[in-house]
Amino acid sequence: MLTFTIRRLLVAIPTLLFISLIIFLLLDLAPGDPLANMPLTIPPDVRENMRAALGLDQPVWIRYALWLKQFFWVEPLNILDSILGTSLAGDGQRVLSWQTRSPVADIIAQRMPQTLWVVGLAYVVGVLIAIPIGIISAYKQYSVFDQAGTFVSMIGYSVPPFFTGVLVIIIFSVNLGWFPSIYDTTLQVNSWATFKQQLIQMVMPVMVLALQTTAQISRFMRASMLDNLRQDYVRTARAKGLRERTVLMAHVARNSMIPVVTVIALGVPSIFGGAIITEQVFKVNGIGQLMITSIQSNDIPMVQTLTFIFAVLIVLANLIADILYGLLDPRIRYD
Amino acid sequence: MTLRHLLLGAGLSALLAPAAFAERGADGHVNLIYYQAPSIMNPYLSGGTKDLEASSLVIEPLVRFNPTGEMVPWLVEEIPTIENGGVAEDMTSITYKLKPGLKWSDGTDFTADDVVFTGQYCMHPEGACAQLARFEGVKEIEALDPQTVKITFTGPKPYPYMPFVTYESPILQKAQFQNCTGTAGPSCSEENFNPIGTGAFKVDEFRPNDVISLSANENYRDPALPHFATMTLKGGGDAAAAARSVLETGEYDYAWNIQLAPEVLAQMISAGKGEAIKTFGTQVERIEVNLTDPSSSLPEGERSTDAHPHPFLSDVRVRRALSMAIDRQLLSDIGYGEAGKPTCNLVPAPAAYASPNTECLTQDIEGAKALLDEAGWVPGSDGVREKDGMRLSLLFQTSTNAVRQDFQSIIKQWWQEIGVETELKNVDGSVFFGSDPGSPDTMHKFYADVEMYANTFPGTDPEQYLAQYTCEKAPDPGNAWQGSNTNRYCDPAYDEMLAELGATADLEERGRLSIALNDMLTKDSMTVLPLVYRGTSSARSNTLGGVNINAWDSGLWNVADWYRVK
Amino acid sequence: MTDATASAPPRHRSQRQEVWRQFRSHKGAMAGLVIFVVILLGVTIGPWLWGLDATLVDIRSRNLGPSLAHPFGTDQLGRDLLARILSGGRVSLAVGLTAMLLSLALGTFVGVVAGFFERLDGALMRLTDLFLALPLLPLLLVMVMLFREPLSRSFGPENGIFLLMVTAIGLTSWMNTARIVRGDVLAIKNREFIMAAKSIGTEPSAMIRRHILPNVLSPILVSATLGIATAIITESSLSFLGLGFPPDFPTWGRLLYDAVDQIQLFPIRVILPGVAIALTVLSVNYIGDGLRDAMDLRARKR
C-alpha cells in the first residue's frame, strides 16, 4: 500500500502540472475582459494601457511561466517568511489579483475560515444524517420511513439552492425574524455570546447546503445497502447466528460504503471550493463567492490559483478514496 | 452662485440634521449594503462604480456636484471661473485655492503638493490610470504655494472642470502613495485598501469583495461630524437581497442601486421599514442600430465593417419604422417604474443640453407599417416583410439582465406586428461589455443587427460622450475592435459640428450645439433609438436621516451629514 | 453463479418478460411510470392542445390571477403561464434526459473500463481528475464561443444550441458516475462469480456486459435520477448566463429562476416549475427503483 501511495504521489506531480497548463490555456481562450465591468466612459486607449499594466500584452506562454514561478517559488517563500519571520522572498512579485491588486494568497486565507465553517459544517451534518437514513431506508425498504425519506430527499435535491435559500430567508428572517438574512463575516468568536451569534447566523446556510448533501449521499447509501443485503454472505452470517445488529453494521454497512466513500471523498474538495450559490444568497462571501466574482470579472490569476488548489485537493481526495477502498475491502489490490 | 454653494456646503448639516450640535460619532453604528462588493479603494486603479462609491467615503475631490448637478466647492474656497479670475482669460489654465486648515486623517496637513502628486500619479506614463481621460490636455499641474494649485492645459479648454472634480478624481496623500507610482502602483495593496483621506471616515479593515469596516475620521474638518462613529459596508449577493435587508428585515440602513421589478419593490416597501429613493443622472437605455452588415456569410474581418453597408438597416425608413413601433412609456413602466422615464434623447440632462425632442414618445404601429410599405417592403406569406428576396429579419442582442430580457420579448412582439422578424440573443455582461477581440459576442464587434445597453456620461458636460460617434471611432479589425462608435455611424457634418463644440466656451452655444448633435443621432438619422431615461434607486431605512442621493457624484457624497432618526 | 446461468442466451426473451412482470408488480415504479408518461405527453402534445403561444406578450393582461382563459394566470409580460410550463418542459425534459444519458454513458464507460482493465486505470482516472478540476463556467464560455455559430449554421439555431447544451452538460457531469462505477467494479472484480466466469474463458466484453454491468446498476440508476435534476438546473443557470437558449425561450429552470424575486407576490410562479421538476425527478427515481428490483434475481426469490 505504501509503494502504491508513493507511486501515486509521484504521478500526481506531472498530472497537476499538466492540469495547470490546461486550465491556464482554457482561461486564456475564454472570451471576456478584466475591464468589462468598468464604465463604458473609459476611452479605448486608456483601457489598452490598463490591460498592458496587467501583463495582458505578453504572449500566453510567458504569462504561464510567470505564474508557475510565482506560485511554486515566490508564494511558498512568502509562507515560510510569515511562519519563520525571515525575508527569503525578498521583493519577488507574488501572484496578484487583477481585481483587487493584492496577493491572491492573502485573500484566499481571508476567505477560507467562513467557507470551512459553513460549507464544512454543512457537509459533516449532511453526511451524518445521510448515512443512518440510507441504512434504515434500505433495511426497512418500502416502509413509511423509507418512502418519506425518498420523497424528502428527492424534493430536496431537485429544488435548487437559489430557491430554497430565498425561501428560508423569507420564512425565518422576514416573517419570523429568527435568523439574520446576511452573514456577518467580521464576527470574531471570542465569547459565549458571539459563539451563539455565529451559530445563529450559520443555521440557514448550513440547513440549505446539508439538504443537498443528505439527499445525494442517502440515495447512494440506500442503493448500496440494498445491493449488499441481497448477497449470499448476509444469509451466511445470519445462518451463523450472528446478531442482526452485527450483520447489519459490521458486514452490510461496511461493504456498502465503497461507492459511498467515493461520493463522500469527491465532495470533500468541493467544501474548499465553497458553495457558489448558497454563499451568494446568504452573503457568506467565502471561496465560492470569490470564485464566481473572479470569473465574472475575468480575474485570471485568482481563478487560476483557486482552480489549481482545487485540482490538488481533488487529486488528493481521490488518492485517499483509493486507499480507503483497500482498507474497506481487502480483496481490492493495486499492483 | 459660488457663495450660495459655500453656504450650502457648510450649512447643509445644520439645516437637515436635528442632531447637528451633537458630538462626532454620537449616533453609533450604520450599516450599508452594496450588492456589488467593492474590491479596491483606489479609484485610479479601478473605474468600477462600486469601488468609486466606497472610496468616496475616505478620499475626496476638490470639487463635487450636488444632486441638482451644480458644482460645490468641496476642498477649495470657491469654484474658479473667468469672472472671479480663477480661470485664465484664454482658457488655458485654472487655479484652485484650497480651504485653509484641512488635515489628513493621520493628522498631517493637506497641501497643494498632495494635489500635484495626485495629478502626477494618474498621468504617470507607466501607471495605467483608469481616470486618465480626466487629465486629457493637461500640460502641467503646479503648486504656486501650499494653498494654491494651478493646472495648465495644452490649449484653450472651454470646460476645465475635469481634473480633481467628482468622486472619479479624488486627492491621494503624497506621503502615503509616493512609492506607489507607475508600475509599482498595483503592488501597493496596503495603500490601495487603506488610503489616508480627508473624508468623513477612515478604513479600519478592508476585506476585498466582502466587507469594509470604517470609523469616523478624528481629523475631519467639521468637529461635530460625522454623526456616526462606525460604519460597515457589506458587499455581495443580489439587488433583491440587498433591498430586502433594508426594507423587510431592517438589518441594514442603506442599500445601493436596487434595480428591481416595480411590483417587487412596492411589495417590499409595504413592510413599512424604509423607502426607495431615486435620482436621475444621464443614463439612457437605448437600442443601437448596426449600419454595417453583420452577416455570418461575410468573411471574418469584413463582418460589421464599413466595407459592407447593412442590407436594409442602412435605409433610414426601416430604422424609423422600428422606432415608431415601440411604446417607450410602457417599457419604462414595466422595467423601471418610478426610476425610469421614456425618452427620445441620447443626452437627457442637464436641461441646457437636453433636446426638446419628444416625437418618438407615441407609439404608431400603423405609421410604421405605412413607412415600410413606402420603402418597398411587402408582407410575405408568413407575415414577415420581404423585398428583392430579402427578409426583414433581425438579430437583437443585449447583456444578460432580467429587465433587458423582458424588454427584448416585448419589442420582439411589436416588431412582429409591423412584419419584422426578430431573433433574440443575450450575452453574459462580462463578455458583452468586454473587449476581447477574439470573442464574437462583444458589443463593440456587434455581430448582430441591433443591440441594447445603457450608457451615461460623468459630470454634466456631454462633449466627450457625443464624441463617441465620430467616423474615426468605428471599431474594426484595424484597431482590434476598440472604438466607441458601435453603430459605425459616419457623417462628416456631425464630425464638423463636434469640432465646433470643442472650440466653444459659451455655455448657451454649447447647449445649442449639443442638442443639434443629439438630434442628428436620434430623430434625424434614427441611428440610436433611446428608450428609457434611467435613474438609480437606493433603499433607505426609516431610521436613517440625511440621505440625499446624487446621480452626478457619489451617492455617499454627504455621508458626514447622515444621522440616526430617533 | 446464479447470474452466470441466468443470463444464458436461450432464456433471453423470457427474461425480459420476467423483468417487465416484476416491474409491473412494483407499485411505486408503476406510479412513477404513469406520472412520467403523463408529463411526457403533457409537454409533447400539451402545447399543441392548449394552443396559446408561450412567447406571446399581451401587455393588457399582465400579472393576472388564475382564470378560465389562463388557468395558472399570466406573468409580468402577460404571457400565459400554463403554456410556458408546457413548452418549458419540452426543452427541460429533452435537455435533462439527453444530457443525463450522455453523462451516464460516458461515466459508465470510463468507470467500467478503468475498473476492469488495470492498465488503463491510471490514465483514465487522471483524465477524470482533470475534468473535475476544470472550472465549469470558463469551459462553457469557451465551448459556446467556439461552437455556437458553426453548430447553428449546420443544424439551425435551436437544434444547434440544443446539441451544444447537451454536450456541455454531459461532458462536465460524467466524472462522479465514473468514479463511483469504478469503485464498484474494483470491488466486484474479485468476487467468486467473476473468477468462475473467467475460469470458463468468458471474453472481457461478454464479462462486462453479463456480469459487471448488471451488478453496478444501482449506483448508475441513482446517478441517473440525480443527473436529471442536475441537468435541468444546470440548463437554467446556463441560459441565465446567456449561454443557452434565446432569452424568450421558456424552460422550467429558467421559469423558476426568474420567479424567485416574486416569490412573495406570486408564489404560483415558483411553485409550478418547482413541482414540475420535482415530479419528474421523483418519477424517474421510482422507475429506477422498480427496474433495479425487477432485474435483481435474488430479490425476486425472496
Side-chain angles (χ1 to χ4, degrees):
Chain A
M1 195 53 95
L2 187 69
T3 47
F4 165 75
T5 313
I6 292 171
R7 205 177 58 221
R8 275 286 294 273
L9 283 174
L10 285 179
V11 174
I13 295 170
T15 312
L16 283 170
L17 278 178
F18 179 70
I19 291 179
S20 80
L21 176 65
I22 297 286
I23 297 172
F24 201 89
L25 292 177
L26 179 74
L27 293 178
D28 183 65
L29 192 61
D33 177 354
L35 303 181
N37 294 335
M38 307 268 155
L40 294 176
T41 46
I42 296 179
D45 48 328
V46 175
R47 281 171 185 267
E48 209 38 63
N49 268 337
M50 292 175 75
R51 257 193 289 277
L54 298 175
L56 266 173
D57 53 344
Q58 306 278 338
V60 59
W61 56 272
I62 288 193
R63 282 184 281 136
Y64 177 63
L66 189 67
W67 178 83
L68 281 182
K69 182 190 153 213
Q70 290 172 345
F71 188 85
F72 288 104
W73 181 243
V74 184
E75 288 296 335
L77 285 183
N78 263 294
I79 294 171
L80 266 184
D81 286 354
S82 65
I83 299 171
L84 304 172
T86 51
S87 55
L88 295 169
D91 51 359
Q93 179 80 287
R94 302 178 65 183
V95 186
L96 286 187
S97 147
W98 284 350
Q99 228 190 135
T100 69
R101 313 298 180 97
S102 66
V104 162
D106 292 358
I107 304 179
I108 296 177
Q110 201 175 56
R111 296 304 185 89
M112 206 42 107
Q114 49 254 40
T115 288
L116 288 186
W117 266 104
V118 173
V119 187
L121 185 69
Y123 199 68
V124 173
V125 169
V127 171
L128 288 183
I129 299 178
I131 290 184
I133 289 187
I135 294 178
I136 302 173
S137 322
Y139 188 63
K140 307 237 181 240
Q141 200 189 1
Y142 303 126
S143 64
V144 178
F145 182 89
D146 179 31
Q147 300 288 12
T150 303
F151 196 75
V152 172
S153 57
M154 279 299 128
I155 297 220
Y157 196 81
S158 54
V159 182
F162 65 73
F163 169 58
T164 31
V166 174
L167 187 71
V168 295
I169 284 182
I170 287 186
I171 296 175
F172 295 109
S173 292
V174 176
N175 292 333
L176 297 172
W178 290 357
F179 308 119
S181 71
I182 288 165
Y183 187 94
D184 179 8
T185 45
T186 57
L187 183 72
Q188 304 275 349
V189 178
N190 48 21
S191 65
W192 177 244
T194 46
F195 179 69
K196 228 171 84 182
Q197 210 180 328
Q198 174 69 15
L199 280 188
I200 286 180
Q201 69 173 349
M202 286 199 312
V203 172
M204 291 197 300
V206 167
M207 200 155 76
V208 167
L209 281 171
L211 183 65
Q212 303 270 314
T213 316
T214 311
Q216 197 187 3
I217 293 178
S218 67
R219 296 318 295 166
F220 280 111
M221 188 72 208
R222 176 180 178 273
S224 181
M225 283 289 290
L226 284 177
D227 278 354
N228 275 284
L229 278 169
R230 292 163 194 168
Q231 299 292 338
D232 298 335
Y233 73 82
V234 180
R235 212 180 311 147
T236 317
R238 283 184 179 136
K240 271 200 313 191
L242 285 180
R243 277 192 306 151
E244 190 63 17
R245 196 184 160 78
T246 319
V247 174
L248 196 63
M249 301 312 291
H251 293 92
V252 183
R254 182 178 159 161
N255 278 303
S256 309
M257 286 301 283
I258 289 178
V260 182
V261 159
T262 315
V263 182
I264 296 177
L266 278 175
V268 170
S270 66
I271 297 178
F272 294 86
I276 290 176
I277 294 172
T278 316
E279 286 188 8
Q280 287 262 58
V281 170
F282 295 99
K283 271 69 70 184
V284 177
N285 294 355
I287 300 288
Q289 189 259 7
L290 183 62
M291 184 75 171
I292 191 77
T293 45
S294 308
I295 288 177
Q296 278 165 352
S297 49
N298 286 283
D299 189 347
I300 294 183
M302 179 67 89
V303 180
Q304 169 79 19
T305 308
L306 278 175
T307 322
F308 184 69
I309 295 176
F310 196 50
V312 174
L313 290 170
I314 288 171
V315 170
L316 282 181
N318 285 343
L319 174 59
I320 293 171
D322 280 347
I323 295 173
L324 282 178
Y325 289 171
L327 295 179
L328 285 166
D329 186 345
R331 278 176 302 189
I332 296 180
R333 288 263 168 269
Y334 307 99
D335 310 301
Chain B
M1 167 177 141
T2 45
L3 185 69
R4 206 185 89 214
H5 287 303
L6 202 63
L7 284 173
L8 232 165
L12 201 64
S13 57
L15 291 173
L16 292 174
F21 299 105
E23 266 176 78
R24 166 176 299 151
D27 283 356
H29 188 80
V30 63
N31 280 315
L32 277 58
I33 184 160
Y34 274 54
Y35 80 88
Q36 291 176 354
S39 41
I40 193 166
M41 293 288 271
N42 182 347
Y44 295 106
L45 292 179
S46 159
T49 316
K50 62 196 172 91
D51 303 322
L52 293 175
E53 286 260 333
S55 66
S56 77
L57 290 164
V58 176
I59 43 181
E60 301 176 302
L62 297 182
V63 174
R64 277 213 195 286
F65 284 93
N66 69 8
T68 46
E70 292 160 333
M71 278 185 273
V72 182
W74 204 251
L75 300 178
V76 293
E77 298 260 3
E78 59 176 1
I79 304 289
T81 57
I82 294 183
E83 291 78 48
N84 65 22
V87 176
E89 281 298 331
D90 61 357
M91 298 180 292
T92 55
S93 74
I94 182 167
T95 309
Y96 288 103
K97 290 289 274 181
L98 305 185
K99 277 183 186 169
L102 290 175
K103 293 230 185 292
W104 292 102
S105 61
D106 63 356
T108 57
D109 286 331
F110 174 88
T111 69
D113 274 348
D114 293 308
V115 183
V116 173
F117 169 76
T118 305
Q120 288 161 351
Y121 177 86
C122 186
M123 293 188 292
H124 194 287
E126 285 156 16
C129 172
Q131 309 299 346
L132 198 60
R134 295 215 151 246
F135 292 86
E136 208 178 275
V138 171
K139 193 164 122 202
E140 195 185 11
I141 304 176
E142 54 195 321
L144 300 181
D145 64 58
Q147 295 297 310
T148 317
V149 183
K150 182 179 178 194
I151 304 167
T152 314
F153 299 101
T154 46
K157 197 90 172 165
Y159 186 83
Y161 309 108
M162 291 300 275
F164 314 121
V165 179
T166 84
Y167 67 153
E168 291 187 342
S169 184
I171 315 298
L172 301 174
Q173 192 194 40
K174 182 180 179 185
Q176 188 188 22
F177 276 91
Q178 56 192 350
N179 295 323
C180 296
T181 54
T183 46
S187 48
C188 284
S189 42
E190 176 53 30
E191 289 80 0
N192 292 332
F193 286 174
N194 302 295
I196 292 170
T198 54
F201 290 91
K202 63 182 174 51
V203 180
D204 291 336
E205 192 194 5
F206 184 89
R207 295 188 179 208
N209 288 339
D210 179 12
V211 62
I212 313 173
S213 305
L214 304 110
S215 61
N217 169 7
E218 308 96 61
N219 293 299
Y220 191 59
R221 50 192 172 275
D222 186 331
L225 296 178
H227 296 298
F228 288 106
T230 49
M231 173 188 280
T232 301
L233 194 153
K234 172 83 178 178
D238 54 282
R244 189 173 291 127
S245 70
V246 172
L247 300 173
E248 289 196 282
T249 66
E251 291 162 271
Y252 278 74
D253 297 301
Y254 175 83
W256 168 77
N257 196 1
I258 43 160
Q259 200 206 86
L260 290 174
E263 59 264 19
V264 173
L265 194 57
Q267 185 264 335
M268 287 186 182
I269 292 171
S270 68
K273 292 209 159 117
E275 62 167 353
I277 40 181
K278 57 181 190 303
T279 177
F280 287 84
T282 55
Q283 194 173 35
V284 173
E285 186 82 29
R286 81 288 294 281
I287 291 178
E288 304 262 358
V289 180
N290 195 346
L291 299 179
T292 56
D293 190 353
S295 162
S296 62
S297 58
L298 291 172
E300 196 58 39
E302 290 185 28
R303 272 179 91 176
S304 282
T305 64
D306 52 14
H308 303 275
H310 198 282
F312 50 86
L313 287 175
S314 49
D315 181 348
V316 66
R317 289 172 295 187
V318 177
R319 304 199 295 264
R320 193 175 300 278
L322 292 179
S323 172
M324 286 162 81
I326 297 172
D327 183 346
R328 290 167 169 82
Q329 179 71 51
L330 190 70
L331 285 181
S332 172
D333 290 347
I334 290 180
Y336 299 98
E338 297 268 289
K341 298 171 190 169
T343 186
C344 300
N345 294 318
L346 196 59
V347 179
Y353 299 97
S355 165
N357 167 31
T358 53
E359 67 172 27
C360 76
L361 292 187
T362 25
Q363 187 188 31
D364 184 2
I365 299 271
E366 291 312 311
K369 283 182 183 164
L371 201 59
L372 288 176
D373 287 338
E374 181 199 313
W377 292 91
V378 287
S381 53
D382 56 352
V384 178
R385 289 175 188 264
E386 290 171 357
K387 181 176 158 182
D388 311 329
M390 198 162 42
R391 284 159 61 85
L392 210 44
S393 175
L394 297 172
L395 178 61
F396 180 7
Q397 71 176 12
T398 188
S399 75
T400 303
N401 164 316
V403 177
R404 292 208 171 115
Q405 267 73 79
D406 279 356
F407 275 24
Q408 277 186 306
S409 302
I410 306 174
I411 292 171
K412 175 180 179 173
Q413 176 96 1
W414 285 326
W415 286 352
Q416 193 179 329
E417 282 174 40
I418 62 168
V420 178
E421 181 184 59
T422 315
E423 186 194 333
L424 305 182
K425 175 175 165 187
N426 61 328
V427 183
D428 188 47
S430 68
V431 176
F432 186 71
F433 294 113
S435 34
D436 180 351
S439 165
D441 294 328
T442 66
M443 57 173 274
H444 299 105
K445 229 175 200 176
F446 206 170
Y447 282 0
D449 300 295
V450 289
E451 66 184 2
M452 175 166 67
Y453 59 87
N455 200 352
T456 178
F457 57 95
T460 54
D461 188 81
E463 182 185 333
Q464 282 187 346
Y465 186 55
L466 290 166
Q468 292 179 352
Y469 293 90
T470 56
C471 300
E472 54 166 29
K473 296 213 169 128
D476 61 43
N479 56 24
W481 303 97
Q482 305 296 306
S484 47
N485 182 1
T486 53
N487 319 65
R488 286 77 167 157
Y489 171 79
C490 187
D491 183 348
Y494 185 89
D495 291 15
E496 248 169 60
M497 197 183 287
L498 190 83
E500 198 186 334
L501 178 67
T504 310
D506 180 58
L507 284 182
E508 214 163 294
E509 184 60 15
R510 285 180 75 80
R512 194 189 63 76
L513 286 168
S514 300
I515 290 173
L517 289 167
N518 170 73
D519 290 351
M520 285 175 84
L521 290 172
T522 56
K523 76 172 179 191
D524 301 343
S525 72
M526 292 289 169
T527 306
V528 181
L529 316 180
L531 301 174
V532 179
Y533 176 23
R534 282 174 53 184
T536 34
S537 64
S538 295
R540 174 187 78 86
S541 125
N542 289 338
T543 60
L544 181 68
V547 180
N548 190 4
I549 60 165
N550 190 337
W552 308 99
D553 206 307
S554 167
L556 304 170
W557 71 293
N558 70 335
V559 70
D561 301 318
W562 289 14
Y563 60 93
R564 180 68 65 201
V565 177
K566 291 182 176 122
Chain C
M1 290 141 284
T2 351
D3 305 54
T5 47
S7 43
R11 288 186 54 190
H12 200 76
R13 204 183 142 73
S14 66
Q15 189 190 1
R16 191 172 291 177
Q17 286 166 345
E18 175 68 6
V19 167
W20 173 235
R21 205 183 58 78
Q22 280 292 324
F23 185 86
R24 262 192 327 199
S25 66
H26 190 297
K27 274 188 217 135
M30 280 316 282
L33 188 64
V34 169
I35 292 177
F36 191 70
V37 169
V38 167
I39 293 176
L40 265 187
L41 285 179
V43 302
T44 42
I45 59 169
W48 177 74
L49 280 180
W50 180 232
L52 271 181
D53 184 355
T55 58
L56 181 82
V57 175
D58 181 4
I59 294 300
R60 281 172 305 271
S61 49
R62 298 174 55 206
N63 295 329
L64 287 187
S67 67
L68 216 55
H70 305 287
F72 293 142
T74 58
D75 72 355
Q76 74 276 13
L77 298 182
R79 293 173 292 204
D80 182 64
L81 219 52
L82 176 62
R84 288 178 78 69
I85 292 282
L86 290 177
S87 54
R90 196 183 285 193
V91 181
S92 284
L93 273 186
V95 170
L97 288 174
T98 330
M100 178 270 286
L101 287 177
L102 179 65
S103 127
L104 270 194
L106 263 175
T108 313
F109 176 76
V110 172
V112 168
V113 170
F116 195 75
F117 301 101
E118 257 159 46
R119 238 177 312 153
L120 295 171
D121 186 27
L124 283 176
M125 284 302 108
R126 298 302 76 77
L127 182 75
T128 316
D129 287 347
L130 170 67
F131 268 87
L132 278 168
L134 285 183
L136 190 59
L137 208 53
L139 179 69
L140 293 168
L141 280 169
V142 169
M143 285 184 70
V144 171
M145 179 183 87
L146 293 179
F147 304 117
R148 172 142 70 184
E149 282 206 11
L151 280 177
S152 349
R153 227 172 311 164
S154 9
F155 298 98
E158 269 160 35
N159 290 336
I161 289 178
F162 178 79
L163 274 180
L164 190 67
M165 305 280 289
V166 165
T167 332
I169 298 173
L171 272 186
T172 51
S173 60
W174 55 269
M175 295 82 74
N176 277 13
T177 318
R179 292 271 336 172
I180 295 161
V181 168
R182 166 181 171 270
D184 256 18
V185 173
L186 282 178
I188 290 169
K189 210 165 58 167
N190 298 309
R191 292 259 181 84
E192 299 82 349
F193 69 87
I194 300 284
M195 305 286 187
K198 213 179 254 173
S199 68
I200 59 166
T202 314
E203 292 286 309
S205 65
M207 179 86 91
I208 289 174
R209 220 167 352 117
R210 288 189 203 153
H211 307 303
I212 304 275
L213 272 184
N215 281 291
V216 293
L217 198 62
S218 305
I220 295 179
L221 286 174
V222 176
S223 296
T225 328
L226 300 176
I228 287 194
T230 317
I232 291 178
I233 300 299
T234 313
E235 185 281 319
S236 74
S237 38
L238 292 189
S239 5
F240 178 75
L241 289 166
L243 300 177
F245 291 95
D248 55 341
F249 219 83
T251 68
W252 285 345
R254 212 188 150 79
L255 289 171
L256 185 61
Y257 198 106
D258 288 349
V260 164
D261 275 355
Q262 304 156 352
I263 181 170
Q264 284 156 292
L265 277 174
F266 306 105
I268 192 166
R269 287 187 203 165
V270 197
I271 295 170
L272 279 180
V275 165
I277 299 174
L279 265 185
T280 309
V281 175
L282 268 174
S283 61
V284 173
N285 175 66
Y286 278 111
I287 296 173
D289 264 10
L291 263 186
R292 200 226 359 255
D293 285 357
M295 290 170 88
D296 190 323
L297 295 165
R298 266 184 291 267
R300 242 183 276 162
K301 279 184 204 151
R302 268 212 304 214

